[in-house]
Amino acid sequence: MSAIRLLLADDQLLVRAGIRALVQTLPDCLVVAECADGQDALTRARELLPDVALLDIDMPGLSGIDTMRQIREFAPEMKILVLSGIDRREVVEAALAAGCNGYLLKDFVLAELQLALGTVLQGGNYLSPKIQQQLIEQIRSGHDDALADQALTPRQEQILRLVASGRTTKEIARDLDISPKTVEFHRAQLMERLGVRDVAGMTRYAMQHGLVS
């Protein structure tokens, strides 16, 4: 049996090292690439076509959600497993809509990682038990988060807060250590997703939904 080839993308070096150490204890698993941002993950995924891409959500530059959307354009059969510390419903829903096969919270143990990998490789979908329970409770209660319809990524929400606080594109780029072009890209996506045409509209939305005071 050939080894299962994995791509690992997370902007935190220690997190990548810890996940890689766990993966290396699993039989027939091989990490073929490690990436610190979404753009590099996208490039390596296109070059290597791994069996599974393990992606963080909140990465500099291209977010995990935007990365998986683009991966799906050239590799619809590649398995994508999110490894994230974020358990908010709107983020999970955005990841699922973007095409991930599983969503695993970073407090997982080795047995759960092995189960998640086995499930997605066999064509199934995997959600961490905590996420499953939260979704069940929210559906039963009829609760719907204010941002659920827009399904903002953590990076988009972060940029929306900064824009609504009056920060310029250059200031946001400097604060988040990303390029001004990346900020403009996220702003354009936010306007389209929120149905607004300018900064004033973004600011009104942020204030109406309690993102800024």
Side-chain angles (χ1 to χ4, degrees), residues 133-146:
Q133 186 60 36
Q134 286 178 343
L135 290 176
I136 290 171
E137 291 174 357
Q138 288 167 344
I139 290 170
R140 285 176 175 172
S141 67
H143 173 72
D144 192 15
D145 190 278

Side-chain angles (χ1 to χ4, degrees), residues 38-39 55-69 153-155 186:
Q39 186 59 58
L55 304 179
D56 187 21
I57 288 288
D58 194 10
M59 294 186 289
L62 201 62
S63 73
I65 289 174
D66 290 330
T67 300
M68 67 181 77
R69 282 198 188 104
T153 68
R155 177 67 80 187
H186 282 301

Side-chain angles (χ1 to χ4, degrees), residues 46-148:
R46 192 186 300 274
E47 292 174 351
L48 300 171
L49 294 177
D51 300 304
V52 184
L54 307 175
L55 304 179
D56 187 21
I57 288 288
D58 194 10
M59 294 186 289
L62 201 62
S63 73
I65 289 174
D66 290 330
T67 300
M68 67 181 77
R69 282 198 188 104
Q70 295 191 45
I71 287 176
R72 280 287 168 254
E73 294 178 2
F74 63 83
E77 300 303 318
M78 186 184 300
K79 306 304 181 184
I80 299 177
L81 181 60
V82 171
L83 304 180
S84 177
I86 302 171
D87 62 0
R88 299 201 309 275
R89 176 183 173 182
E90 70 271 15
V91 177
V92 175
E93 289 179 342
L96 292 172
C100 78
N101 303 99
Y103 199 109
L104 189 61
L105 294 177
K106 283 183 179 177
D107 59 359
F108 64 83
V109 294
L110 179 60
E112 187 180 7
L113 175 60
Q114 189 169 16
L115 174 61
L117 285 170
T119 300
V120 300
L121 285 167
Q122 292 172 14
N125 297 288
Y126 184 88
L127 294 177
S128 286
K130 181 180 179 181
I131 292 176
Q132 292 183 41
Q133 186 60 36
Q134 286 178 343
L135 290 176
I136 290 171
E137 291 174 357
Q138 288 167 344
I139 290 170
R140 285 176 175 172
S141 67
H143 173 72
D144 192 15
D145 190 278
L147 292 177

Side-chain angles (χ1 to χ4, degrees), residues 165-198:
S165 298
R167 308 302 291 274
T168 66
T169 295
K170 289 184 178 180
E171 288 172 337
I172 294 172
R174 184 183 64 245
D175 291 348
L176 301 182
D177 195 25
I178 58 179
S179 71
K181 286 186 177 180
T182 299
V183 176
E184 291 293 346
F185 173 79
H186 282 301
R187 282 177 54 167
Q189 280 200 324
L190 277 165
M191 288 182 188
E192 180 180 355
R193 192 161 296 181
L194 302 180
V196 299
R197 297 183 178 181
D198 51 25

